[in-house]
Amino acid sequence: MRRAQLKLFQNLIGRLSAYDLRPAQFSALAIIEQHPGLMQADLAKALAIEPPQVVPLLNKLEERALAVRVRCKPDKRSYGIFLSKTGEALLKELKQIAAQSDQESTSALDSQERDELLRLLRKVYQA
Amino acid sequence: MRRAQLKLFQNLIGRLSAYDLRPAQFSALAIIEQHPGLMQADLAKALAIEPPQVVPLLNKLEERALAVRVRCKPDKRSYGIFLSKTGEALLKELKQIAAQSDQESTSALDSQERDELLRLLRKVYQA
DNA sequence: TATTGTTATACTCTATAACTATA
DNA sequence: TATAGTTATAGAGTATAACAATA
């Protein structure tokens, strides 16, 4: 399991490096898209990382104008996190890159096996 | 894939911690058993880590008398690495622990699915 | 007093360059 | 000069404690 995961990860890291992004940053963009306006604590939980790690990650995304922090009206301690138009466009491109990466890393499998692998993996980690 | 792997790894780390061992040390014991007398560079390659990382790992195993470095006769630069009797006995126990860990981490799968997952993972990383 | 985000810090993992001793 | 092992070091990734602003 570890070796297969490392193989997939290395391939993805290589492809994302052309965008100066890490897998966690790509995941963050995808999560923000699915939950626009979420708070940093929620993003940490969704990424399975600790809140302090979200800070530099989001800073980087904000520097590059891919995402924005918006002060919440009711609770001025927290932010709502949103994708910018640039972020949305880039994410769309990145999803294709990631799909190509998965495809290449699992080129030894036929499409039925790939589906089955995904099904089994989900079953394991969702349990 | 990453999430499933993390789940398995965390379970294994927890179980091995009772023996004050890391997964890589357990793997090292298993590799040494399969290739008695191998050199440190070979062990590094088999573990997919860099040679310098082998040094503290092996030091720890030697301190605990689980493995030994034996100076090679012909080439006095290198060592042959072997398990001690203690190491062999502990490895036997650890293999059962690891099997239990895998079983527990994949308890959502039936035994046929578990076999299939293993087959697909091998196919991915061996490609 | 509790919570959100942040800073500072440390600990692990990993990778690279330089050193030693042999060849 | 080349190689096996080692040392030193630095860079990620990850986790915890403590802090500031707000509730």
PDB file of all heavy atoms in Angstrom, chain A residues 11-12 14-16 18-19 21 26-27 29-30 33 87-106 114:
ATOM      1  N   ASN A  11       4.495  10.799  -8.780  1.00  0.00           N
ATOM      2  CA  ASN A  11       4.040  11.218 -10.110  1.00  0.00           C
ATOM      3  C   ASN A  11       3.279  12.538 -10.030  1.00  0.00           C
ATOM      4  O   ASN A  11       3.548  13.479 -10.784  1.00  0.00           O
ATOM      5  CB  ASN A  11       3.148  10.124 -10.721  1.00  0.00           C
ATOM      6  CG  ASN A  11       2.831  10.386 -12.181  1.00  0.00           C
ATOM      7  OD1 ASN A  11       2.369  11.457 -12.538  1.00  0.00           O
ATOM      8  ND2 ASN A  11       3.088   9.398 -13.034  1.00  0.00           N
ATOM      9  N   LEU A  12       2.358  12.611  -9.072  1.00  0.00           N
ATOM     10  CA  LEU A  12       1.558  13.827  -8.921  1.00  0.00           C
ATOM     11  C   LEU A  12       2.423  15.021  -8.538  1.00  0.00           C
ATOM     12  O   LEU A  12       2.272  16.119  -9.089  1.00  0.00           O
ATOM     13  CB  LEU A  12       0.466  13.611  -7.863  1.00  0.00           C
ATOM     14  CG  LEU A  12      -0.501  14.779  -7.670  1.00  0.00           C
ATOM     15  CD1 LEU A  12      -1.278  15.090  -8.941  1.00  0.00           C
ATOM     16  CD2 LEU A  12      -1.462  14.511  -6.516  1.00  0.00           C
ATOM     17  N   GLY A  14       5.509  15.507  -9.206  1.00  0.00           N
ATOM     18  CA  GLY A  14       6.248  15.913 -10.395  1.00  0.00           C
ATOM     19  C   GLY A  14       5.422  16.783 -11.321  1.00  0.00           C
ATOM     20  O   GLY A  14       5.886  17.821 -11.799  1.00  0.00           O
ATOM     21  N   ARG A  15       4.190  16.393 -11.548  1.00  0.00           N
ATOM     22  CA  ARG A  15       3.330  17.158 -12.458  1.00  0.00           C
ATOM     23  C   ARG A  15       2.927  18.507 -11.854  1.00  0.00           C
ATOM     24  O   ARG A  15       2.892  19.526 -12.547  1.00  0.00           O
ATOM     25  CB  ARG A  15       2.076  16.355 -12.793  1.00  0.00           C
ATOM     26  CG  ARG A  15       2.340  15.186 -13.731  1.00  0.00           C
ATOM     27  CD  ARG A  15       1.135  14.285 -13.826  1.00  0.00           C
ATOM     28  NE  ARG A  15       1.340  13.155 -14.713  1.00  0.00           N
ATOM     29  CZ  ARG A  15       0.982  13.128 -15.996  1.00  0.00           C
ATOM     30  NH1 ARG A  15       0.403  14.170 -16.536  1.00  0.00           N
ATOM     31  NH2 ARG A  15       1.205  12.059 -16.723  1.00  0.00           N
ATOM     32  N   LEU A  16       2.624  18.509 -10.560  1.00  0.00           N
ATOM     33  CA  LEU A  16       2.199  19.759  -9.920  1.00  0.00           C
ATOM     34  C   LEU A  16       3.357  20.742  -9.767  1.00  0.00           C
ATOM     35  O   LEU A  16       3.133  21.948  -9.631  1.00  0.00           O
ATOM     36  CB  LEU A  16       1.583  19.474  -8.539  1.00  0.00           C
ATOM     37  CG  LEU A  16       0.224  18.775  -8.521  1.00  0.00           C
ATOM     38  CD1 LEU A  16      -0.246  18.583  -7.081  1.00  0.00           C
ATOM     39  CD2 LEU A  16      -0.810  19.563  -9.314  1.00  0.00           C
ATOM     40  N   ALA A  18       5.283  21.792 -11.864  1.00  0.00           N
ATOM     41  CA  ALA A  18       5.253  22.753 -12.969  1.00  0.00           C
ATOM     42  C   ALA A  18       4.399  23.967 -12.608  1.00  0.00           C
ATOM     43  O   ALA A  18       4.546  25.043 -13.178  1.00  0.00           O
ATOM     44  CB  ALA A  18       4.715  22.094 -14.228  1.00  0.00           C
ATOM     45  N   TYR A  19       3.495  23.776 -11.643  1.00  0.00           N
ATOM     46  CA  TYR A  19       2.637  24.879 -11.183  1.00  0.00           C
ATOM     47  C   TYR A  19       3.107  25.430  -9.843  1.00  0.00           C
ATOM     48  O   TYR A  19       2.434  26.246  -9.233  1.00  0.00           O
ATOM     49  CB  TYR A  19       1.186  24.389 -11.052  1.00  0.00           C
ATOM     50  CG  TYR A  19       0.572  23.914 -12.341  1.00  0.00           C
ATOM     51  CD1 TYR A  19       0.782  22.619 -12.800  1.00  0.00           C
ATOM     52  CD2 TYR A  19      -0.211  24.771 -13.101  1.00  0.00           C
ATOM     53  CE1 TYR A  19       0.217  22.180 -13.995  1.00  0.00           C
ATOM     54  CE2 TYR A  19      -0.774  24.347 -14.292  1.00  0.00           C
ATOM     55  CZ  TYR A  19      -0.558  23.049 -14.734  1.00  0.00           C
ATOM     56  OH  TYR A  19      -1.115  22.633 -15.907  1.00  0.00           O
ATOM     57  N   LEU A  21       3.117  23.898  -7.036  1.00  0.00           N
ATOM     58  CA  LEU A  21       2.100  23.523  -6.033  1.00  0.00           C
ATOM     59  C   LEU A  21       2.422  22.160  -5.440  1.00  0.00           C
ATOM     60  O   LEU A  21       3.022  21.311  -6.100  1.00  0.00           O
ATOM     61  CB  LEU A  21       0.712  23.454  -6.679  1.00  0.00           C
ATOM     62  CG  LEU A  21       0.008  24.762  -7.028  1.00  0.00           C
ATOM     63  CD1 LEU A  21      -1.303  24.486  -7.732  1.00  0.00           C
ATOM     64  CD2 LEU A  21      -0.237  25.592  -5.762  1.00  0.00           C
ATOM     65  N   PHE A  26      -3.223  21.591  -3.874  1.00  0.00           N
ATOM     66  CA  PHE A  26      -4.219  21.183  -4.874  1.00  0.00           C
ATOM     67  C   PHE A  26      -5.485  20.688  -4.180  1.00  0.00           C
ATOM     68  O   PHE A  26      -6.610  21.100  -4.526  1.00  0.00           O
ATOM     69  CB  PHE A  26      -3.610  20.094  -5.773  1.00  0.00           C
ATOM     70  CG  PHE A  26      -4.614  19.338  -6.588  1.00  0.00           C
ATOM     71  CD1 PHE A  26      -5.533  20.009  -7.389  1.00  0.00           C
ATOM     72  CD2 PHE A  26      -4.645  17.952  -6.553  1.00  0.00           C
ATOM     73  CE1 PHE A  26      -6.457  19.307  -8.150  1.00  0.00           C
ATOM     74  CE2 PHE A  26      -5.571  17.253  -7.305  1.00  0.00           C
ATOM     75  CZ  PHE A  26      -6.482  17.927  -8.096  1.00  0.00           C
ATOM     76  N   SER A  27      -5.301  19.838  -3.161  1.00  0.00           N
ATOM     77  CA  SER A  27      -6.458  19.341  -2.399  1.00  0.00           C
ATOM     78  C   SER A  27      -7.224  20.487  -1.765  1.00  0.00           C
ATOM     79  O   SER A  27      -8.462  20.491  -1.758  1.00  0.00           O
ATOM     80  CB  SER A  27      -6.010  18.370  -1.305  1.00  0.00           C
ATOM     81  OG  SER A  27      -5.446  17.211  -1.870  1.00  0.00           O
ATOM     82  N   LEU A  29      -7.499  23.575  -2.804  1.00  0.00           N
ATOM     83  CA  LEU A  29      -8.293  24.251  -3.831  1.00  0.00           C
ATOM     84  C   LEU A  29      -9.580  23.474  -4.109  1.00  0.00           C
ATOM     85  O   LEU A  29     -10.665  24.057  -4.204  1.00  0.00           O
ATOM     86  CB  LEU A  29      -7.480  24.399  -5.127  1.00  0.00           C
ATOM     87  CG  LEU A  29      -6.300  25.373  -5.082  1.00  0.00           C
ATOM     88  CD1 LEU A  29      -5.495  25.314  -6.376  1.00  0.00           C
ATOM     89  CD2 LEU A  29      -6.779  26.801  -4.818  1.00  0.00           C
ATOM     90  N   ALA A  30      -9.450  22.157  -4.211  1.00  0.00           N
ATOM     91  CA  ALA A  30     -10.629  21.331  -4.503  1.00  0.00           C
ATOM     92  C   ALA A  30     -11.641  21.376  -3.363  1.00  0.00           C
ATOM     93  O   ALA A  30     -12.856  21.427  -3.592  1.00  0.00           O
ATOM     94  CB  ALA A  30     -10.192  19.890  -4.777  1.00  0.00           C
ATOM     95  N   GLU A  33     -13.428  24.712  -3.322  1.00  0.00           N
ATOM     96  CA  GLU A  33     -14.443  24.742  -4.390  1.00  0.00           C
ATOM     97  C   GLU A  33     -15.729  24.050  -3.931  1.00  0.00           C
ATOM     98  O   GLU A  33     -16.844  24.531  -4.195  1.00  0.00           O
ATOM     99  CB  GLU A  33     -13.910  24.060  -5.651  1.00  0.00           C
ATOM    100  CG  GLU A  33     -14.903  24.106  -6.815  1.00  0.00           C
ATOM    101  CD  GLU A  33     -14.486  23.228  -7.984  1.00  0.00           C
ATOM    102  OE1 GLU A  33     -14.107  22.054  -7.748  1.00  0.00           O
ATOM    103  OE2 GLU A  33     -14.517  23.711  -9.128  1.00  0.00           O
ATOM    104  N   GLY A  87      -8.336  31.075  -9.405  1.00  0.00           N
ATOM    105  CA  GLY A  87      -8.262  29.805  -8.701  1.00  0.00           C
ATOM    106  C   GLY A  87      -9.174  28.758  -9.304  1.00  0.00           C
ATOM    107  O   GLY A  87      -8.774  27.597  -9.469  1.00  0.00           O
ATOM    108  N   GLU A  88     -10.381  29.185  -9.629  1.00  0.00           N
ATOM    109  CA  GLU A  88     -11.335  28.256 -10.240  1.00  0.00           C
ATOM    110  C   GLU A  88     -10.812  27.736 -11.569  1.00  0.00           C
ATOM    111  O   GLU A  88     -10.901  26.529 -11.858  1.00  0.00           O
ATOM    112  CB  GLU A  88     -12.687  28.953 -10.458  1.00  0.00           C
ATOM    113  CG  GLU A  88     -13.503  29.105  -9.180  1.00  0.00           C
ATOM    114  CD  GLU A  88     -14.808  29.857  -9.408  1.00  0.00           C
ATOM    115  OE1 GLU A  88     -15.195  30.036 -10.588  1.00  0.00           O
ATOM    116  OE2 GLU A  88     -15.435  30.280  -8.417  1.00  0.00           O
ATOM    117  N   ALA A  89     -10.269  28.644 -12.356  1.00  0.00           N
ATOM    118  CA  ALA A  89      -9.752  28.252 -13.674  1.00  0.00           C
ATOM    119  C   ALA A  89      -8.573  27.294 -13.534  1.00  0.00           C
ATOM    120  O   ALA A  89      -8.500  26.263 -14.216  1.00  0.00           O
ATOM    121  CB  ALA A  89      -9.345  29.492 -14.461  1.00  0.00           C
ATOM    122  N   LEU A  90      -7.666  27.643 -12.613  1.00  0.00           N
ATOM    123  CA  LEU A  90      -6.495  26.781 -12.420  1.00  0.00           C
ATOM    124  C   LEU A  90      -6.912  25.406 -11.914  1.00  0.00           C
ATOM    125  O   LEU A  90      -6.401  24.379 -12.362  1.00  0.00           O
ATOM    126  CB  LEU A  90      -5.503  27.425 -11.440  1.00  0.00           C
ATOM    127  CG  LEU A  90      -4.248  26.609 -11.193  1.00  0.00           C
ATOM    128  CD1 LEU A  90      -3.446  26.451 -12.487  1.00  0.00           C
ATOM    129  CD2 LEU A  90      -3.361  27.217 -10.115  1.00  0.00           C
ATOM    130  N   LEU A  91      -7.856  25.386 -10.976  1.00  0.00           N
ATOM    131  CA  LEU A  91      -8.310  24.113 -10.416  1.00  0.00           C
ATOM    132  C   LEU A  91      -8.845  23.196 -11.509  1.00  0.00           C
ATOM    133  O   LEU A  91      -8.570  21.993 -11.510  1.00  0.00           O
ATOM    134  CB  LEU A  91      -9.384  24.356  -9.349  1.00  0.00           C
ATOM    135  CG  LEU A  91      -9.982  23.098  -8.724  1.00  0.00           C
ATOM    136  CD1 LEU A  91      -8.903  22.231  -8.087  1.00  0.00           C
ATOM    137  CD2 LEU A  91     -11.048  23.456  -7.695  1.00  0.00           C
ATOM    138  N   LYS A  92      -9.585  23.791 -12.419  1.00  0.00           N
ATOM    139  CA  LYS A  92     -10.141  23.009 -13.527  1.00  0.00           C
ATOM    140  C   LYS A  92      -9.021  22.327 -14.309  1.00  0.00           C
ATOM    141  O   LYS A  92      -9.094  21.146 -14.649  1.00  0.00           O
ATOM    142  CB  LYS A  92     -10.938  23.943 -14.454  1.00  0.00           C
ATOM    143  CG  LYS A  92     -11.876  23.231 -15.412  1.00  0.00           C
ATOM    144  CD  LYS A  92     -12.789  24.231 -16.136  1.00  0.00           C
ATOM    145  CE  LYS A  92     -13.667  23.524 -17.171  1.00  0.00           C
ATOM    146  NZ  LYS A  92     -14.525  24.469 -17.903  1.00  0.00           N
ATOM    147  N   GLU A  93      -7.963  23.091 -14.540  1.00  0.00           N
ATOM    148  CA  GLU A  93      -6.800  22.556 -15.262  1.00  0.00           C
ATOM    149  C   GLU A  93      -6.107  21.483 -14.420  1.00  0.00           C
ATOM    150  O   GLU A  93      -5.721  20.422 -14.931  1.00  0.00           O
ATOM    151  CB  GLU A  93      -5.839  23.710 -15.561  1.00  0.00           C
ATOM    152  CG  GLU A  93      -4.726  23.367 -16.515  1.00  0.00           C
ATOM    153  CD  GLU A  93      -3.855  24.587 -16.827  1.00  0.00           C
ATOM    154  OE1 GLU A  93      -4.317  25.734 -16.623  1.00  0.00           O
ATOM    155  OE2 GLU A  93      -2.703  24.385 -17.261  1.00  0.00           O
ATOM    156  N   LEU A  94      -5.957  21.753 -13.141  1.00  0.00           N
ATOM    157  CA  LEU A  94      -5.247  20.825 -12.248  1.00  0.00           C
ATOM    158  C   LEU A  94      -5.965  19.488 -12.128  1.00  0.00           C
ATOM    159  O   LEU A  94      -5.337  18.441 -11.998  1.00  0.00           O
ATOM    160  CB  LEU A  94      -5.095  21.451 -10.859  1.00  0.00           C
ATOM    161  CG  LEU A  94      -4.196  22.667 -10.753  1.00  0.00           C
ATOM    162  CD1 LEU A  94      -4.265  23.255  -9.344  1.00  0.00           C
ATOM    163  CD2 LEU A  94      -2.759  22.307 -11.107  1.00  0.00           C
ATOM    164  N   LYS A  95      -7.291  19.544 -12.164  1.00  0.00           N
ATOM    165  CA  LYS A  95      -8.053  18.298 -12.072  1.00  0.00           C
ATOM    166  C   LYS A  95      -7.721  17.375 -13.238  1.00  0.00           C
ATOM    167  O   LYS A  95      -7.649  16.160 -13.069  1.00  0.00           O
ATOM    168  CB  LYS A  95      -9.554  18.597 -12.052  1.00  0.00           C
ATOM    169  CG  LYS A  95     -10.069  19.061 -10.694  1.00  0.00           C
ATOM    170  CD  LYS A  95     -11.563  19.368 -10.764  1.00  0.00           C
ATOM    171  CE  LYS A  95     -12.136  19.727  -9.391  1.00  0.00           C
ATOM    172  NZ  LYS A  95     -13.565  20.103  -9.494  1.00  0.00           N
ATOM    173  N   GLN A  96      -7.541  17.977 -14.408  1.00  0.00           N
ATOM    174  CA  GLN A  96      -7.165  17.166 -15.566  1.00  0.00           C
ATOM    175  C   GLN A  96      -5.760  16.590 -15.402  1.00  0.00           C
ATOM    176  O   GLN A  96      -5.509  15.431 -15.725  1.00  0.00           O
ATOM    177  CB  GLN A  96      -7.249  18.014 -16.849  1.00  0.00           C
ATOM    178  CG  GLN A  96      -8.681  18.408 -17.192  1.00  0.00           C
ATOM    179  CD  GLN A  96      -8.761  19.236 -18.460  1.00  0.00           C
ATOM    180  OE1 GLN A  96      -7.818  19.940 -18.805  1.00  0.00           O
ATOM    181  NE2 GLN A  96      -9.889  19.151 -19.163  1.00  0.00           N
ATOM    182  N   ILE A  97      -4.869  17.443 -14.893  1.00  0.00           N
ATOM    183  CA  ILE A  97      -3.493  16.982 -14.626  1.00  0.00           C
ATOM    184  C   ILE A  97      -3.509  15.799 -13.660  1.00  0.00           C
ATOM    185  O   ILE A  97      -2.840  14.784 -13.880  1.00  0.00           O
ATOM    186  CB  ILE A  97      -2.664  18.129 -13.997  1.00  0.00           C
ATOM    187  CG1 ILE A  97      -2.562  19.314 -14.963  1.00  0.00           C
ATOM    188  CG2 ILE A  97      -1.288  17.623 -13.579  1.00  0.00           C
ATOM    189  CD1 ILE A  97      -1.719  19.037 -16.170  1.00  0.00           C
ATOM    190  N   ALA A  98      -4.292  15.938 -12.597  1.00  0.00           N
ATOM    191  CA  ALA A  98      -4.345  14.883 -11.581  1.00  0.00           C
ATOM    192  C   ALA A  98      -4.928  13.602 -12.159  1.00  0.00           C
ATOM    193  O   ALA A  98      -4.461  12.496 -11.857  1.00  0.00           O
ATOM    194  CB  ALA A  98      -5.170  15.358 -10.387  1.00  0.00           C
ATOM    195  N   ALA A  99      -5.946  13.758 -13.016  1.00  0.00           N
ATOM    196  CA  ALA A  99      -6.553  12.586 -13.634  1.00  0.00           C
ATOM    197  C   ALA A  99      -5.539  11.884 -14.536  1.00  0.00           C
ATOM    198  O   ALA A  99      -5.445  10.656 -14.545  1.00  0.00           O
ATOM    199  CB  ALA A  99      -7.787  12.993 -14.435  1.00  0.00           C
ATOM    200  N   GLN A 100      -4.768  12.680 -15.273  1.00  0.00           N
ATOM    201  CA  GLN A 100      -3.716  12.093 -16.119  1.00  0.00           C
ATOM    202  C   GLN A 100      -2.674  11.387 -15.265  1.00  0.00           C
ATOM    203  O   GLN A 100      -2.186  10.315 -15.619  1.00  0.00           O
ATOM    204  CB  GLN A 100      -3.026  13.193 -16.933  1.00  0.00           C
ATOM    205  CG  GLN A 100      -3.848  13.754 -18.072  1.00  0.00           C
ATOM    206  CD  GLN A 100      -3.250  15.032 -18.641  1.00  0.00           C
ATOM    207  OE1 GLN A 100      -2.066  15.308 -18.457  1.00  0.00           O
ATOM    208  NE2 GLN A 100      -4.058  15.810 -19.335  1.00  0.00           N
ATOM    209  N   SER A 101      -2.328  12.017 -14.143  1.00  0.00           N
ATOM    210  CA  SER A 101      -1.330  11.427 -13.246  1.00  0.00           C
ATOM    211  C   SER A 101      -1.806  10.078 -12.727  1.00  0.00           C
ATOM    212  O   SER A 101      -1.067   9.088 -12.759  1.00  0.00           O
ATOM    213  CB  SER A 101      -1.065  12.382 -12.079  1.00  0.00           C
ATOM    214  OG  SER A 101      -0.184  11.796 -11.150  1.00  0.00           O
ATOM    215  N   ASP A 102      -3.050  10.018 -12.252  1.00  0.00           N
ATOM    216  CA  ASP A 102      -3.613   8.762 -11.754  1.00  0.00           C
ATOM    217  C   ASP A 102      -3.610   7.710 -12.857  1.00  0.00           C
ATOM    218  O   ASP A 102      -3.250   6.550 -12.632  1.00  0.00           O
ATOM    219  CB  ASP A 102      -5.044   8.984 -11.259  1.00  0.00           C
ATOM    220  CG  ASP A 102      -5.086   9.752  -9.950  1.00  0.00           C
ATOM    221  OD1 ASP A 102      -4.030   9.890  -9.302  1.00  0.00           O
ATOM    222  OD2 ASP A 102      -6.179  10.214  -9.575  1.00  0.00           O
ATOM    223  N   GLN A 103      -4.024   8.136 -14.029  1.00  0.00           N
ATOM    224  CA  GLN A 103      -4.094   7.221 -15.169  1.00  0.00           C
ATOM    225  C   GLN A 103      -2.714   6.626 -15.460  1.00  0.00           C
ATOM    226  O   GLN A 103      -2.570   5.416 -15.615  1.00  0.00           O
ATOM    227  CB  GLN A 103      -4.600   7.997 -16.399  1.00  0.00           C
ATOM    228  CG  GLN A 103      -5.015   7.123 -17.558  1.00  0.00           C
ATOM    229  CD  GLN A 103      -6.380   6.489 -17.342  1.00  0.00           C
ATOM    230  OE1 GLN A 103      -7.158   6.953 -16.524  1.00  0.00           O
ATOM    231  NE2 GLN A 103      -6.649   5.414 -18.067  1.00  0.00           N
ATOM    232  N   GLU A 104      -1.713   7.513 -15.506  1.00  0.00           N
ATOM    233  CA  GLU A 104      -0.364   7.047 -15.821  1.00  0.00           C
ATOM    234  C   GLU A 104       0.186   6.135 -14.724  1.00  0.00           C
ATOM    235  O   GLU A 104       0.787   5.099 -15.017  1.00  0.00           O
ATOM    236  CB  GLU A 104       0.568   8.247 -15.997  1.00  0.00           C
ATOM    237  CG  GLU A 104       1.986   7.846 -16.386  1.00  0.00           C
ATOM    238  CD  GLU A 104       2.866   9.057 -16.648  1.00  0.00           C
ATOM    239  OE1 GLU A 104       2.696   9.685 -17.701  1.00  0.00           O
ATOM    240  OE2 GLU A 104       3.721   9.381 -15.799  1.00  0.00           O
ATOM    241  N   SER A 105      -0.037   6.513 -13.460  1.00  0.00           N
ATOM    242  CA  SER A 105       0.501   5.729 -12.341  1.00  0.00           C
ATOM    243  C   SER A 105      -0.128   4.353 -12.261  1.00  0.00           C
ATOM    244  O   SER A 105       0.459   3.418 -11.724  1.00  0.00           O
ATOM    245  CB  SER A 105       0.272   6.470 -11.026  1.00  0.00           C
ATOM    246  OG  SER A 105       0.955   7.697 -11.026  1.00  0.00           O
ATOM    247  N   THR A 106      -1.343   4.227 -12.789  1.00  0.00           N
ATOM    248  CA  THR A 106      -2.042   2.952 -12.719  1.00  0.00           C
ATOM    249  C   THR A 106      -2.223   2.355 -14.116  1.00  0.00           C
ATOM    250  O   THR A 106      -3.182   1.634 -14.373  1.00  0.00           O
ATOM    251  CB  THR A 106      -3.422   3.116 -12.058  1.00  0.00           C
ATOM    252  OG1 THR A 106      -4.207   4.029 -12.836  1.00  0.00           O
ATOM    253  CG2 THR A 106      -3.310   3.636 -10.641  1.00  0.00           C
ATOM    254  N   ARG A 114      -9.195  -0.402 -12.234  1.00  0.00           N
ATOM    255  CA  ARG A 114      -8.992   0.921 -11.634  1.00  0.00           C
ATOM    256  C   ARG A 114     -10.216   1.306 -10.793  1.00  0.00           C
ATOM    257  O   ARG A 114     -10.081   1.789  -9.673  1.00  0.00           O
ATOM    258  CB  ARG A 114      -8.737   1.940 -12.748  1.00  0.00           C
ATOM    259  CG  ARG A 114      -8.035   3.190 -12.291  1.00  0.00           C
ATOM    260  CD  ARG A 114      -7.640   4.052 -13.471  1.00  0.00           C
ATOM    261  NE  ARG A 114      -6.495   3.552 -14.194  1.00  0.00           N
ATOM    262  CZ  ARG A 114      -6.525   3.102 -15.441  1.00  0.00           C
ATOM    263  NH1 ARG A 114      -7.654   3.120 -16.126  1.00  0.00           N
ATOM    264  NH2 ARG A 114      -5.426   2.652 -16.012  1.00  0.00           N
TER     265      ARG A 114
END
